[in-house]
Amino acid sequence: MAEPTISECYRAVCGQHGIQINPLVLENLQKTPTTRSFTLKLAGNNKQKGCQKLCDDDIFALSKCLQNNWTVTGLDLRYDNVSDAGAGHLADLLEVEDSALRSLDLTFNNIQTEGAKVLANCLQGNSSLLSLRLSGNKIGNIGGMHLASMLLVNRKLQKLELADCDLETPSVIALSIALKTNTTLRSVDLSRALLFSFQEEWAVCFSEMFRVNSSLVELHLGKMGLTDTGMERLAEGLMQNHSLRYLDLHCNRVTHDGAQHLAGVLKQNTAIEIVDLSSNRIEDVGVEYLSDAISWPGCVLRELSVCRNSIRMKGLLSLAEALKINPTLTHVYIWGNCLEEPVCRAFKELISSGRLMPQRTDIRPYEVDGQVFLAEVFWGLRKHNYCTDDNCQNTCSDSNTSNDAAAPEENLSSSHC
């Protein structure tokens, strides 16, 4: 007698426990392959007519079905209604011996402190999960502390996203301390923590972490209130770090002084390849510091975003000149600055000459009555997948679409200073 399919198992569990069948879950389970690993996509922002967001009961039934399933290696549960109880059901799934789950995406659900505690406790003994995304769940400071404690023990997790989780200074510092000894975590997102101290103690702790950590490759610190003083502290540690490749500092309070500290890092640190400084205020002087670093022999920077930084003609022209000197910088994003005609012509020349590929920037030149303007193309820096495990790469790559791939016709908006 053939074993029941996963969809048949789901129907049986729902019937046994009196749970209403969720059409979205059933439909996706019926489509599941039986011979290869895959990510089960059950995101609640699906625009499909009649889409019903998953609740805790749905998670209970699903976790029961997946306990003996070895093909589902990723769960995409973004924008659903999973709360602390649902997190407990997922923890039960992760505690199954030889669990097949490699990637768990719970972005923007309703998980709070208790749910974070349950997940952290189960991950202390878990040896399968490689990627955990909790961004948008209000786990708070205590929830962040539980996850930091987990990182002191867990030696498997490679990706952790905690953006917009209402973390506070103690939990952010605790996470930086955990990263001093954790040797497996490669990508961390702590953006939009609630940091109210003007002393930026967290930046000092991250600077100390940079000195000893040799595994972290990607770090997102957007919307942290980072100032030039904090940037100076981070730069001191980054000078001695040779593993970090992607540094995201978008939406902070960095000015030209902070950009000078970062430029000093780019001249000496041969590892950093991607920098996101969008929505700061580095202005002309700041981008000139960066342009000087880009022109420096040995600079390996490949992608740079300086969108919305109050940069005018002088600074943008210096960046255009640096592009002619540096052969490694291939992705540049400048929209939201003052794009006067000399700037428009300089970047048009870079694009038409092939030095800057159209799909690797956020601007597109056009002419009206002999005058050159730039239109915005809605492309920007993308998150990268730095997981080393093949299974994790398969399950994490769904949301990491490359800008270099063939894209549909872009949306454009045009502007000039």
Side-chain angles (χ1 to χ4, degrees), residues 130-161:
L130 301 174
S131 172
L132 177 62
R133 293 170 173 158
L134 285 172
S135 294
N137 292 278
K138 305 306 179 183
I139 65 173
N141 189 58
I142 302 301
M145 297 290 281
H146 286 303
L147 290 167
S149 298
M150 175 271 294
L151 292 177
L152 294 172
V153 180
N154 183 285
R155 289 296 180 266
K156 191 67 176 180
L157 198 66
Q158 296 184 9
K159 186 183 188 75
L160 179 63
E161 293 187 3

Side-chain angles (χ1 to χ4, degrees), residues 80-141:
D80 282 313
N81 288 324
V82 182
S83 70
D84 291 345
H89 300 321
L90 291 168
D92 292 339
L93 176 61
L94 288 167
E95 287 177 341
V96 173
E97 188 176 359
D98 297 327
S99 170
L101 205 59
R102 300 290 181 267
S103 172
L104 179 58
D105 192 343
L106 291 165
T107 302
F108 283 97
N109 276 274
N110 300 318
I111 299 171
Q112 298 184 26
T113 301
E114 189 60 32
K117 178 181 178 181
V118 171
L119 288 171
N121 287 340
C122 86
L123 288 175
Q124 289 188 11
N126 178 275
S127 60
S128 64
L129 195 71
L130 301 174
S131 172
L132 177 62
R133 293 170 173 158
L134 285 172
S135 294
N137 292 278
K138 305 306 179 183
I139 65 173
N141 189 58

Side-chain angles (χ1 to χ4, degrees), residues 12 19 73 81 144 150 153-154 167 169 182 211 242 297 300 313-314 319 342 352 379 392:
I19 299 172
T73 56
N81 288 324
M150 175 271 294
V153 180
N154 183 285
L167 302 179
T169 300
N182 186 290
R211 291 183 171 93
H242 299 287
V300 296
M313 181 172 66
K314 184 179 179 182
L319 180 58
S352 60
W379 287 333
C392 187

Side-chain angles (χ1 to χ4, degrees), residues 161-180:
E161 293 187 3
L162 298 175
D164 198 19
C165 284
D166 288 358
L167 302 179
E168 297 177 16
T169 300
S171 55
V172 172
I173 290 176
L175 287 162
S176 71
I177 293 172
L179 287 171
K180 287 184 176 181

Side-chain angles (χ1 to χ4, degrees), residues 241-289:
N241 181 282
H242 299 287
S243 65
L244 193 72
R245 285 185 257 167
Y246 189 153
L247 180 61
D248 175 8
L249 300 174
H250 78 277
C251 294
N252 279 293
R253 293 187 288 167
V254 178
T255 71
H256 56 82
D257 288 334
Q260 184 178 17
H261 296 307
L262 182 57
V265 173
L266 294 177
K267 288 180 178 180
Q268 296 189 34
N269 187 315
T270 57
I272 295 179
E273 300 175 349
I274 304 169
V275 172
D276 187 352
L277 276 174
S278 57
S279 299
N280 281 276
R281 199 173 180 83
I282 66 172
E283 301 178 312
D284 283 353
V285 176
V287 82
E288 286 180 305
Y289 286 133

